[in-house]
Amino acid sequence: MSSDISVKICGLTASEHVRAAVEAGARYVGLVFFPKSPRYIDVPLAAQLAAEVPPGVAKVALTVNATDAELDHILASVPLDMLQLHGQESPDRVAEVKDRYGLPVMKAVGVADEEDLAQIDLYSDVADQLLIDAKPPKHSELPGGNGLSFDWRLLAGRKYWRRPWMLAGGLAPDNAAEAIRMTGARQLDVSSGVERAPGVKDSGRIRAFLDAARA
């Protein structure tokens, strides 16, 4: 492990936790625009939090099957650096979003078994980055942020996809280093693993996660 590991703290909802993420060295901060999520924030709060993020830290909007109208509304007020598509968006939709907004797009791909890895190759053709997450439980309303991991051995020896990728799903301060070792990931995404309650981040756990990832 080393300082070249990039970390995204996702689902931030308060200024103090944005500040904790930035001060700990996070390279991405994620704002959730999915109303069913406990980490959902509205556009005015998102604009306020985004304004507190210094240059050099990427501001990422997590959306789920968002329409053009919904994305227009977000981007009219919130200064963002990247769009994260975390629903069932097709490769064509990913390409449409990239063309319409001129921002890098990260596409989330849920993984439960080896068959799901084919989706990673499919989206590699159109997305700027990939987020490889645990596939949600069958009846879950949340596409991510469920605190679940998948069998990281599925990614062993597969780190050279055509696009940069980020590992997500069930990560926490006590398993970040092991996740890096097993998968070869150079980027990690964490949300519930640095919370003290659903949707409520913990500054100490944010710092502990960054320290563990870069130990």
Side-chain angles (χ1 to χ4, degrees):
M1 274 58 75
S2 68
S3 62
D4 68 343
I5 299 295
S6 295
V7 170
K8 174 170 169 276
I9 306 295
C10 196
L12 292 161
T13 60
S15 295
E16 65 179 296
H17 302 132
V18 170
R19 187 165 55 251
V22 170
E23 290 176 353
R27 294 180 183 162
Y28 305 81
V29 295
L31 306 173
V32 175
F33 296 92
F34 182 53
K36 292 182 179 180
S37 171
R39 302 161 191 96
Y40 168 76
I41 56 175
D42 61 19
V43 167
L45 178 55
Q48 174 193 321
L49 296 181
E52 298 170 5
V53 179
V57 178
K59 302 175 293 294
V60 184
L62 186 157
T63 66
V64 178
N65 303 321
T67 64
D68 286 349
E70 290 167 335
L71 293 174
D72 288 348
H73 179 57
I74 293 167
L75 286 163
S77 299
V78 186
L80 294 165
D81 301 300
M82 180 177 288
L83 296 172
Q84 178 180 328
L85 306 185
H86 213 109
Q88 289 77 49
E89 300 90 357
S90 68
D92 285 347
R93 177 58 178 159
V94 174
E96 285 176 5
V97 170
K98 282 182 58 174
D99 290 345
R100 180 178 176 90
Y101 299 103
L103 288 173
V105 173
M106 179 187 296
K107 178 67 182 87
V109 178
V111 171
D113 53 43
E114 192 162 4
E115 291 181 0
D116 296 319
L117 298 179
Q119 294 294 307
I120 299 172
D121 291 322
L122 183 65
Y123 285 103
S124 291
D125 292 334
V126 290
D128 297 283
Q129 292 211 43
L130 300 160
L131 181 75
I132 303 177
D133 198 358
K135 185 176 282 188
K138 188 171 184 180
H139 299 294
S140 174
E141 291 187 328
L142 301 179
N146 292 295
L148 301 175
S149 60
F150 61 95
D151 185 352
W152 293 329
R153 291 173 296 183
L154 291 170
L155 302 186
R158 297 176 182 265
K159 61 183 178 180
Y160 299 112
W161 280 294
R162 294 189 295 277
R163 295 286 187 265
W165 63 278
M166 190 175 289
L167 180 68
L171 295 172
D174 62 357
N175 67 7
E178 178 71 0
I180 293 168
R181 185 189 69 78
M182 289 187 67
T183 67
R186 310 312 293 167
Q187 301 193 108
L188 302 181
D189 178 292
V190 65
S191 186
S192 61
V194 291
E195 291 179 342
R196 60 175 179 264
V200 183
K201 294 292 186 282
D202 182 283
S203 295
R205 288 184 65 81
I206 289 173
R207 289 189 291 269
F209 188 88
L210 269 293
D211 288 345
R214 294 175 172 177

